[in-house]
Each structure stands twice: as C-alpha cells, then as structure tokens.
Amino acid sequence: MSAQTFARTPVSPAKDVRPPAPPAAARRHPNIYRVLSRVLIAALVVVQVYPLVWLFLTSMRDEQDFASGNPFGLPTSFTLDNYARALEQGDLGQYILNSLTVTAGANALIVVCGMMGAYAIQVLGFRFSNAVRAMFLIGIIVPVQIALVPLFIDYTKINMLDTHLSMIVPLAGFSLPMAVYLFSSFFGYIPRETYEAASLDGAGPYRIFARITLPMSVNTIVTVVMVNSIFIWNDFIFANTFVLSEDLKTIPLGLQNYIGAMGKTDWTATFAAVCVTVTPLLLVFLVLNKAMIYGLESGANKG
C-alpha cells in the first residue's frame, strides 16, 4: 500500500470505553447519606462536648454573674477565685488521693483476677468452663445495691469498715464479670498453635501466661482499666455506705462538703472542684483513647 493510499484511508475515531454514568438517583443517595451522617456526628459531638465546655467556663465565672445572669449564657467576666475557694472549703487534695488509692487498688485486683480467670477459662480449659463463663456474664446484670447490707454487716464483724479495702473489694468484684468477658474474648484471637509451640518447647502454663499472653494483652488491659476507672472514680454508693471518717472520703463523697447550711450551695466553687477532679481522668483518657478503642474492638468482635 502506497503512502498516498494510506493517507487517504479514513481513520475511525477511538471508541469511548468509559463505563456508563450511574443514574441520577444513585448519585444523590450516597451524598444524602454522607450529609446526614456528618450532621448526626456533629450533633453527638455537641451533646458530648458542650457540658464539659460549660463546666469549665462556669468554674471561672464570677459568683454574682452566675447568680444574676443566665446560668447557661456566656460569662461576662473570668476569675480564678472559685478554685481558691474550692480548696478552702474542702480538703480536695485528700479526696483526690483517696480516689486514686481506691481506683488503683481496685484496678490492680480487676486486672490480675480478670486475666487469670479468663486465661483459665479460654486458654487452659476445664470441665464446665462454659458454665463458669456464663456465671460471670450473669454477674454483669446483678445490681450493686443488693450487696450493701450484707457487706456492711460482714465488715463490721471483721473490723474492715471505714477502710480503703472496704471500697476496693466490692468495686473490683462487681467489675470483674466485664473484665473476664473482655479478656477471654481477646484471648480467643491468639492462635492455638502459638500455645502448642510454646508447650512443645517445654513452657508451662505460668510461663506461657507471662511470656505470651500478658505482653499481647496490653491494649485490653488499658481498656479494662479505663472503663472501670470511670466507674470507680465516680462511685458514690459504696463510699457513702462504708466510709465514716472525713479522712477516707473520696471525691464524690467529699463534694457534699460544698453544700452549706440550709442547703445553700456555692455553685461556682463546686464547679471548680468538679473541674479539678475531672481533669486527671479526662487527660488520661485522651492519651490512651486509641489503645482503649482497639481493646474494645478486639474484645467485642470475638464471640
């Protein structure tokens, strides 16, 4: 074929190989769902964040401004006298120390007993292990109020009333079922071949627990500690029942001291005290939130 013939040959245009456009309705639906989901998330964030913002702003608000103006409005002046007055009205440092002692002691007991119990149920296995697991799960729905009177009587007999231990034991006991559930669910993710290989190498159950199970459970431990710390830190019912002296009062019980005669309450000082007590737990939660979320996902997806 000559060059002239090739030049005269018509060239067919390239075919459009793009996929057909989706219908207009199909294009609109994802956008609508995306907008609705973002609006819902924004509403949830506002509902969760607004009380904290209002609490911190009110804690620095002037007492007269809070009493005469709109309690939910923006402050017209800021002052730090509320924090000084909060420290003067109650022994806030002692309350925080007592809450830290009770929270740390209860969490240590929960982690040790919960991990060992879950390890025995999920990893070692024994006869009627499923029944024992079911009994732990039933313990989640048991209300704490039914144990107040029996525990008070028992503490009186063994002279354990009005001690830190009188609060640590029931708080750990009622938090143990959820800890066992989370730990046992996470242990189910660890392949059985890992334990079998360690057993063939001569490792016993205690060494396997210390060298394999414990290092892999860090995120779950953080999750269990954080979830239970919120419950223990804010506990009022056990502290109000078993604590009699002023030196052992925890934060929720100590905040009662900010209520004056005839029920008069210094609200701005009370809000300042609440800010001081909430801030440590909030900071720890913000630092460890990723590990907590990962532990909840790995513990909840199994089973």
Side-chain angles (χ1 to χ4, degrees):
M1 181 181 294
S2 64
Q4 294 179 355
T5 305
F6 180 78
R8 291 196 301 269
T9 303
V11 179
S12 60
K15 295 183 179 180
D16 191 1
V17 295
R18 291 178 298 177
R27 292 198 304 268
R28 287 197 301 267
H29 286 170
N31 294 331
I32 294 175
Y33 296 150
R34 189 179 299 110
V35 171
L36 290 177
S37 62
R38 290 178 179 178
V39 170
L40 181 59
I41 292 173
L44 291 176
V45 169
V46 170
V47 171
Q48 295 292 329
V49 174
Y50 172 74
L52 291 175
V53 175
W54 177 80
L55 177 65
F56 283 102
L57 290 177
T58 308
S59 68
M60 295 183 292
R61 192 172 182 178
D62 185 74
E63 187 177 5
Q64 295 180 353
D65 180 29
F66 178 79
S68 59
N70 182 11
F72 299 98
L74 294 176
T76 58
S77 61
F78 293 93
T79 179
L80 296 178
D81 294 338
N82 300 326
Y83 289 89
R85 199 163 61 254
L87 295 174
E88 292 175 358
Q89 291 183 9
D91 195 357
L92 196 57
Q94 186 64 38
Y95 301 152
I96 295 176
L97 181 61
N98 291 332
S99 293
L100 287 174
T101 303
V102 173
T103 303
N107 276 319
L109 198 60
I110 292 168
V111 170
V112 172
C113 296
M115 286 193 70
M116 290 184 175
Y119 181 75
I121 293 172
Q122 184 68 34
V123 179
L124 298 181
F126 55 90
R127 192 177 183 183
F128 303 119
S129 60
N130 291 330
V132 174
R133 189 204 308 269
M135 292 179 64
F136 272 109
L137 295 179
I138 292 175
I140 297 177
I141 64 175
V142 176
V144 298
Q145 289 81 2
I146 65 173
L148 295 178
V149 175
L151 284 175
F152 188 89
I153 296 173
D154 293 338
Y155 287 161
T156 305
K157 293 181 180 178
I158 62 178
N159 296 324
M160 206 171 79
L161 195 65
D162 199 23
T163 61
H164 286 136
L165 198 60
S166 64
M167 293 180 284
I168 291 174
V169 171
L171 287 171
F174 280 97
S175 302
L176 195 59
M178 182 59 69
V180 171
Y181 169 73
L182 290 175
F183 279 122
S184 61
S185 298
F186 174 74
F187 293 163
Y189 276 103
I190 302 176
R192 301 294 301 182
E193 291 79 6
T194 305
Y195 296 118
E196 294 174 358
S199 299
L200 292 175
D201 290 339
Y206 297 104
R207 188 175 180 182
I208 293 174
F209 177 81
R211 297 293 181 88
I212 298 176
T213 307
L214 182 59
M216 298 179 66
S217 306
V218 175
N219 289 328
T220 307
I221 292 174
V222 172
T223 302
V224 171
V225 169
M226 287 303 303
V227 170
N228 291 302
S229 294
I230 298 172
F231 164 68
I232 297 169
W233 188 268
N234 297 320
D235 171 70
F236 179 82
I237 187 168
F238 289 124
N240 190 44
T241 305
F242 304 136
V243 172
L244 306 177
S245 60
E246 186 72 22
D247 296 336
L248 294 176
K249 285 185 176 181
T250 56
I251 290 172
L253 197 60
L255 290 178
Q256 285 185 322
N257 293 342
Y258 293 90
I259 300 177
M262 305 299 293
K264 182 180 179 180
T265 305
D266 188 351
W267 288 112
T268 53
T270 303
F271 291 142
V274 173
C275 288
V276 173
T277 58
V278 167
T279 301
L281 196 63
L282 183 62
L283 293 177
V284 173
F285 178 80
L286 292 176
V287 172
L288 302 176
N289 62 344
K290 290 184 178 180
M292 178 180 174
I293 293 172
Y294 178 81
L296 284 173
E297 290 177 350
S298 60
N301 291 337
K302 181 69 177 177

